[in-house]
Amino acid sequence: GGHTSVVRLLLEYKTSVKSTDELGRTALHEAALNGHKGVVRLLLESKAEINVLDKNGVAPLHFAAMRGQTDAIRLLTSPKTAINIVDDYRRTPLHLAAEKGHMEAVKALVSAGANINARYSVTKTPLASALENEHYRVADWLKSKGSELDPMAAAFYGDAKALKGLLNEDPFNATIADAFGRTPISLAAMGGHVECIKLLLANKADVNSKDSEERTPLHYASASGKAQAVAFLIEKGAKVN
């Protein structure tokens, strides 16, 4: 698929594989985005630059990862590929695949050598990107492969030891918020992890912190049916309303 014969004709007429549109995107960017593996293969055979960046610092591999185009990812991960290449936000292709919940793309990138602990915005690993966007299967898989846990992930998985270490490094880790306004205490409450809730409260976490949809830790614990966490939060001053 992907109009391979048209591309072959254009290449025969010496159309440059380096020509770009107004966004700085090449034919390889477009083929990767749309998962046209025949075209990707042909362009690479015609010496298209594999690590070329558009005006937002995005490489073809970023596009394939973002769309979960696993076949294109496999073609684009050659020894020449900068697999941990970062865009203008310092996100790697693995961050984008995890953020969008593309499990097979995540696995393909990791097996090709992507750094599971690459970070942008100081702390955000691919696991954190998956977790923030509620792609729990992807997050679980990355954790099983040895991903480091940030404060949100440590709270979510109830890893009190990891959380304690992160809070000792920086007490402000108790109050960081994700893009949806959730703080570690909400994620600990969702999992019913009382030990983690205790640690967070001891480091000045707000028992009544609200996310962007006005949900508090008590909402999260109640919705998950975590009775022990509900009782503990109420004891610690959670407002019942």
Side-chain angles (χ1 to χ4, degrees), residues 155-166:
F156 178 78
Y157 287 111
D159 190 333
K161 188 179 172 199
L163 185 60
K164 192 171 188 180
L166 290 161

Side-chain angles (χ1 to χ4, degrees), residues 122-138:
V122 188
T123 64
K124 200 162 282 175
T125 59
L127 187 156
S129 295
L131 197 55
E132 178 171 77
N133 291 283
E134 300 182 359
H135 299 304
Y136 300 129
R137 275 182 56 247
V138 172

Side-chain angles (χ1 to χ4, degrees), residues 1 4-5 7 12 16 21 25 37 55 60 140 158 160 181 198 217:
T4 317
S5 52
V7 174
E12 279 167 15
S16 171
D21 66 10
R25 292 176 185 172
K37 60 180 180 174
K55 288 181 177 171
D140 290 351
K198 277 182 192 166

Side-chain angles (χ1 to χ4, degrees), residues 63-153:
F63 274 154
M66 186 173 22
R67 282 278 182 88
Q69 307 288 14
T70 312
D71 289 335
I73 287 169
R74 292 198 178 103
L75 287 168
L76 288 164
T77 47
S78 79
K80 289 181 185 163
T81 309
I83 194 150
N84 297 307
I85 196 163
V86 294
D87 67 9
D88 286 355
Y89 295 98
R90 305 211 49 78
R91 295 173 302 188
T92 65
L94 184 57
H95 278 108
L96 296 182
E99 181 182 307
K100 299 292 183 193
H102 299 308
M103 178 69 100
E104 293 313 309
V106 165
K107 288 180 176 176
L109 287 162
V110 171
S111 73
N115 179 7
I116 211 164
N117 288 313
R119 291 167 188 269
Y120 80 96
S121 295
V122 188
T123 64
K124 200 162 282 175
T125 59
L127 187 156
S129 295
L131 197 55
E132 178 171 77
N133 291 283
E134 300 182 359
H135 299 304
Y136 300 129
R137 275 182 56 247
V138 172
D140 290 351
W141 187 83
L142 288 165
K143 180 174 182 276
S144 78
K145 293 290 164 193
S147 171
E148 291 167 8
L149 303 183
D150 74 332
M152 303 295 268

Side-chain angles (χ1 to χ4, degrees), residues 220-237:
Y220 279 99
S222 305
S224 304
K226 304 295 180 187
Q228 197 188 347
V230 166
F232 183 73
L233 287 163
I234 292 169
E235 183 195 318
K236 294 295 175 186

